[in-house]
Amino acid sequence: MPNQTTFTEARYAGESAKPAPQVRPICIAILAMGGEGGGVLADWIVDLAEQQGYPAQSTSVPGVAQRTGTTIYYVEFLPQAASANGHAPAPVLSLMPVPGDVDIVVASELMEMGRAVQRGLVSPGETTLVASTNRVYSMTEKSAMGDGRVDPAPFIAAAQKAAKRFVYGDFAVLAERNGSVISAALFGALAGTGALPFSREQFEAAIRRAGVGVDSSLKAFGAGFDLAQNGPAPQTPAARPAVVERTQGLLKAMDERIAAEFPAVAGTVLKAAVRRLADYQSLAYAELYLKRLAPLRDIDQRRGDSNAPLLVETARYLALWMSYEDTVRVADLKIRATRFERVNKEVKAKADQVLHINEYFHPRLDEIADTLPVWLGTLLMRPGALRNALERATSKGRVVRTTSLRGFLLLYGVAALRGTRPKSLRYQREHAEMCNWLAHIEQNAGSHYAMALEIAECQRLVKGYGDTHARGMRNFKLIEGLLPKLLANDDGVSRIRQLREAALKDEEGVQLATLLQGWNWSDATLAAH
């Protein structure tokens, strides 16, 4: 295919007698994922150009990604309505973007923006880049044992260097706030850049001509336009977890107690934690949380460290551990009014439409046993007829429609077990491990403060549910069993950190086992592991 910049004459079929003027097409690449309206955005741009008499075309190349499938939509149009002799031009337009020759790149997600920069579609002297900073996490990020999220800062910095002009913000949030989809907000941002030879009114007319979701699309368009013109608006703080209204006074009293009894540096973490735990179980449960942290508060006070690192770190991880996920919590979250409102908003259900929500459950035997009282749960886990019967009954999973009375009441009954949770098998087991972990921290904080901090960090291994939780707990207990050896080594602090990071890198524990083999630590603890 001829180079579209140099051989523009080839774009005009039937005009060989008189070379066409040197008019360069405007090239636009749109990178979007499934369901984000990338095709609609491309159609709006084509319609916008054709309404002004400009020849235009769009193509799309679907791809396979680790999320919902990425498609590159490519639009070209010639900003010339007619040739010099009055005949309409018949240009030959390209089917794919050429690196270094793209005027505008629009990306619906941060990693898609990074792909565009990496492919060379964004160039400093030519490209206007419009990108949304929202994230749709890849499977690699989601499945990481630790925090597998990619740091967005380097991507934004690279885009700022690569583009002639860079407009970015969370367009997904803008669209959601205005009851529309991200394509409308990105279309508004594109208009706001002034990179295309059209007015705002002409952009809005393209939305009106499409005739679908016009009002909400125009609102999102306006929000995107304003962001491109004025920059992103200041973000509002995230809402705190919902807590029953009657507890607000008691929570305020607890806040005052935190301010009086704990250092100010820990206040933010502690206040958020007591709300999380009150919502998860009860105010008494939040009181237990503060009681468990009191010894660590005293240790930091004796050390005279105003930053109280041991208290702050332990407080964060203890709150997460005490609000572990179980069947009761899952059922509770699925039947909350706020969830039904959110789903209605996401699917844009109208007042005269009936919405059904199906929940897909596949409870394992141990998850059921964990919910039961200790004696019954222990009995159920023993090999025998009762266990075999329950395994057969749950082997195929179950679909529960929470928008039906029967389905709602079923989950309501499971959520109602919150009051009996402290007597459950899972509660007893988890809290025994928590107390053991806190005891190790407290015992080492006096003479091995740095080691105590590392032990506190090890709670990061305990997360999720099912197999993920079992693997994390297995690795956690392995490192816990090695504490005597680690304390006896001069480099014990660095070694426990290495063990923790190795355990967080893969679910199967291969890197952890490799590290331990390299150290030649093959005692009974490792053999058991």
Side-chain angles (χ1 to χ4, degrees), residues 231-291:
Q235 293 185 349
T236 56
R240 291 176 173 175
V243 181
V244 181
E245 186 66 29
R246 63 185 176 81
T247 66
Q248 292 300 318
L250 296 173
L251 284 172
K252 184 177 180 181
M254 199 171 287
D255 287 346
E256 294 172 354
R257 175 187 164 189
I258 289 170
E261 298 180 8
F262 290 87
V265 69
T268 301
V269 172
L270 295 176
K271 289 175 183 178
V274 296
R275 280 162 175 76
R276 179 188 181 100
L277 297 175
D279 179 60
Y280 177 84
Q281 183 66 31
S282 64
L283 284 168
Y285 197 57
E287 289 275 0
L288 175 61
Y289 166 77
L290 295 178
K291 181 179 178 181

Side-chain angles (χ1 to χ4, degrees), residues 48-55 78 80-82 89:
L48 185 61
E50 290 180 339
Q51 285 295 317
Q52 307 309 311
Y54 300 155
L78 203 69
Q80 176 176 300

Side-chain angles (χ1 to χ4, degrees), residues 443-509:
Q443 289 165 9
N444 288 283
S447 55
H448 300 89
Y449 191 83
M451 178 63 79
L453 279 171
E454 295 299 331
I455 296 171
E457 289 273 353
C458 285
Q459 193 280 333
R460 292 169 57 197
L461 298 172
V462 183
K463 61 184 66 181
Y465 55 90
D467 291 337
T468 300
H469 182 272
R471 284 190 291 264
M473 182 61 77
R474 178 194 63 193
N475 292 335
F476 174 82
K477 291 179 72 64
L478 169 62
I479 296 175
E480 188 178 57
L482 292 172
L483 282 178
K485 276 196 170 188
L486 292 165
L487 289 166
N489 275 268
D490 293 336
D491 58 349
V493 173
S494 64
R495 288 202 175 201
I496 191 173
R497 187 182 305 119
Q498 292 176 55
L499 289 170
R500 185 180 65 248
E501 296 304 321
L504 288 169
K505 285 181 180 177
D506 69 278
E507 289 189 354
E508 303 304 324

Side-chain angles (χ1 to χ4, degrees), residues 19-38:
Q22 296 287 325
V23 179
R24 182 183 178 280
I26 294 177
C27 310
I28 306 168
I30 303 167
L31 284 78
M33 292 180 292
E36 292 183 328

Side-chain angles (χ1 to χ4, degrees), residues 70-128:
T70 304
T71 299
I72 296 180
Y73 301 88
Y74 184 57
V75 178
E76 275 196 10
F77 68 86
L78 203 69
Q80 176 176 300
S83 62
N85 58 17
H87 297 293
V92 178
L93 300 174
S94 298
L95 300 177
M96 282 289 291
V98 178
D101 196 29
V102 181
D103 299 290
I104 298 167
V105 171
V106 180
S108 66
E109 194 264 353
L110 191 69
M111 292 299 110
E112 298 310 319
M113 178 201 74
R115 292 174 198 256
V117 173
Q118 186 181 40
R119 292 172 179 172
L121 300 180
V122 183
S123 50
E126 186 169 357
T127 308
T128 296

Side-chain angles (χ1 to χ4, degrees), residues 265-455:
V265 69
T268 301
V269 172
L270 295 176
K271 289 175 183 178
V274 296
R275 280 162 175 76
R276 179 188 181 100
L277 297 175
D279 179 60
Y280 177 84
Q281 183 66 31
S282 64
L283 284 168
Y285 197 57
E287 289 275 0
L288 175 61
Y289 166 77
L290 295 178
K291 181 179 178 181
R292 286 177 171 175
L293 290 172
L296 302 181
R297 171 203 62 195
D298 297 340
I299 290 170
D300 275 331
Q301 286 178 346
R302 287 195 295 269
R303 291 184 78 250
D305 190 340
S306 59
N307 291 322
L310 187 60
L311 171 63
V312 173
E313 292 304 304
T314 306
R316 178 182 296 113
Y317 295 121
L318 179 61
L320 293 172
W321 200 344
M322 288 182 67
S323 55
Y324 60 86
E325 295 292 332
D326 61 3
T327 55
V328 176
R329 181 64 168 175
V330 172
D332 178 39
L333 294 176
K334 286 188 178 295
I335 61 171
R336 291 194 176 189
T338 51
R339 180 172 184 265
F340 291 116
E341 291 169 3
R342 176 174 55 81
V343 174
N344 267 280
K345 186 176 180 181
E346 286 178 355
V347 301
K348 300 179 176 63
K350 297 179 181 178
D352 59 346
Q353 291 179 318
V354 178
L355 174 67
H356 291 301
I357 303 175
N358 290 338
E359 312 289 353
Y360 294 85
F361 291 101
H362 200 294
R364 305 188 327 165
L365 177 67
D366 55 351
E367 291 172 335
I368 296 172
D370 282 344
T371 309
L372 301 173
V374 176
W375 68 271
L376 184 55
T378 304
L379 178 64
L380 187 61
M381 291 300 293
R382 292 174 184 166
L386 180 60
R387 175 171 179 167
N388 294 338
L390 191 56
E391 285 181 334
R392 285 194 300 270
T394 59
S395 61
K396 295 183 180 180
R398 185 171 182 179
V399 178
V400 177
R401 179 169 287 182
T402 49
T403 47
S404 70
L405 180 60
R406 181 178 179 181
F408 181 88
L409 290 177
L410 177 63
L411 293 189
Y412 183 85
V414 176
L417 295 174
R418 180 167 69 169
T420 64
R421 182 189 271 142
K423 298 179 181 179
S424 69
L425 180 62
R426 175 79 182 276
Y427 184 98
Q428 298 297 323
R429 186 171 60 245
E430 292 287 346
H431 282 265
E433 294 292 349
M434 285 181 219
C435 292
N436 200 32
W437 169 68
L438 289 169
H440 284 303
I441 295 172
E442 189 176 348
Q443 289 165 9
N444 288 283
S447 55
H448 300 89
Y449 191 83
M451 178 63 79
L453 279 171
E454 295 299 331
I455 296 171

